[in-house]
Amino acid sequence: MDKKVLLIEDEGNIARFLQLELEYEGYRVTVATTGRAALKAWEEGQWDLIILDVMLPDLSGMEICRRIRAQSKVPIVMLTARDTVPDRVGGLDAGADDYLTKPFAIEELLARMRAIERRQTQWAQETTKLTIPPLTVCLEERTATVAGHELKLTTREFDLLAYLMQNKNHVLTREMILNKVWGYSYTGDTNVVDVYIRYLRVKLEQVGCHDFIETVRGVGYVVREH
């Protein structure tokens, strides 16, 4: 496997346990116990995945996530003791690909990591460019443009938009979207889909792309090619 994981966790016992379990599964793990050490390690290395605790002694996990996401598409799994909807949405908005609440079973973390890896592999194998005028999405470069103007999308927003475009003219239920974009292990409310659809619509409208995502009342959402 030889996947490189940056584990950012300040609780020594948890960090050591996770490191041993991940190494047993074949991952190469580097541990950082502070936010500043984490940013230094991230800048100096090439990582396949980052596991990030929210509560750190110097910089918050949210801030670290935002800084990394501003420069990199590396998958980030956020760990936290907080389980409210605003906390989960905040973590995802900061750029996390997944959000796991403590305490958790190591098997669940591993399953979510595998789900992220499968999604990345699938993106790589699929058609690299999708176009539904006036919007073009490049899967390989993970960019979305309208008339030359690039949309500034979070990882989750991009995955959601790409999934809708890959299934143009097909109505997708919230459950289908959750399973594909958030992963089968996601246990949160389906209304998170509505929240992200709203985010996407705002960004699309800002570049003149109106009514691109259609709501099918009582069912879900669809992007239609006219």
Side-chain angles (χ1 to χ4, degrees), residues 8-10 32-39 50-69 76 78-80 82 87 90-91 94:
I8 306 168
E9 169 63 66
D10 68 318
T33 57
T34 68
R36 299 193 185 283
L39 289 174
I50 294 174
I51 300 174
L52 172 60
D53 185 30
V54 171
M55 303 297 292
L56 295 168
D58 46 1
L59 293 173
S60 74
M62 296 288 189
E63 177 62 22
I64 293 170
C65 187
R66 281 190 287 268
R67 292 191 188 187
I68 292 175
R69 186 56 74 230
I76 299 173
M78 192 168 282
L79 307 179
T80 180
R82 299 174 176 174
D87 286 325

Side-chain angles (χ1 to χ4, degrees), residues 71-214:
Q71 303 179 55
S72 172
K73 303 292 187 183
V74 61
I76 299 173
V77 177
M78 192 168 282
L79 307 179
T80 180
R82 299 174 176 174
D83 192 30
T84 67
V85 170
D87 286 325
R88 291 200 300 271
V89 171
L92 297 172
D93 278 349
D97 295 270
D98 210 338
Y99 190 100
L100 197 56
T101 304
K102 297 179 180 179
F104 56 84
I106 185 64
E107 291 80 8
E108 182 176 6
L109 174 60
L110 291 169
R112 295 192 182 211
M113 292 170 65
R114 289 193 296 268
I116 289 173
E117 291 169 11
R118 285 195 300 272
R119 290 199 295 273
Q120 287 191 310
T121 300
Q122 186 171 359
W123 289 130
Q125 293 173 343
E126 290 168 346
T127 304
T128 60
K129 188 168 288 188
L130 306 168
T131 300
I132 301 177
L135 178 65
T136 296
V137 165
C138 180
L139 297 178
E140 186 175 5
E141 297 177 2
R142 294 186 66 83
T143 58
T145 57
V146 174
H149 298 285
E150 183 175 349
L151 280 70
K152 301 300 182 183
L153 302 178
T154 67
T155 298
R156 193 74 64 177
E157 289 167 352
F158 179 87
D159 290 347
L160 174 56
L161 179 60
Y163 181 49
L164 289 167
M165 291 184 66
Q166 287 170 316
N167 293 273
K168 63 185 179 184
N169 303 321
H170 295 282
V171 179
L172 302 174
T173 67
R174 291 170 178 80
E175 289 75 16
M176 292 168 65
I177 294 171
L178 278 175
N179 287 340
K180 175 65 177 182
V181 179
W182 274 260
Y184 288 96
S185 58
Y186 181 82
T187 58
D189 299 329
T190 58
N191 64 7
V192 72
V193 174
D194 302 323
V195 172
Y196 274 79
I197 289 289
R198 187 162 63 248
Y199 292 163
L200 267 180
R201 282 173 169 161
V202 169
K203 292 185 178 182
L204 287 166
E205 289 171 0
Q206 288 173 347
V207 292
C209 193
H210 300 278
D211 302 320
F212 190 80
I213 303 172
E214 178 184 334

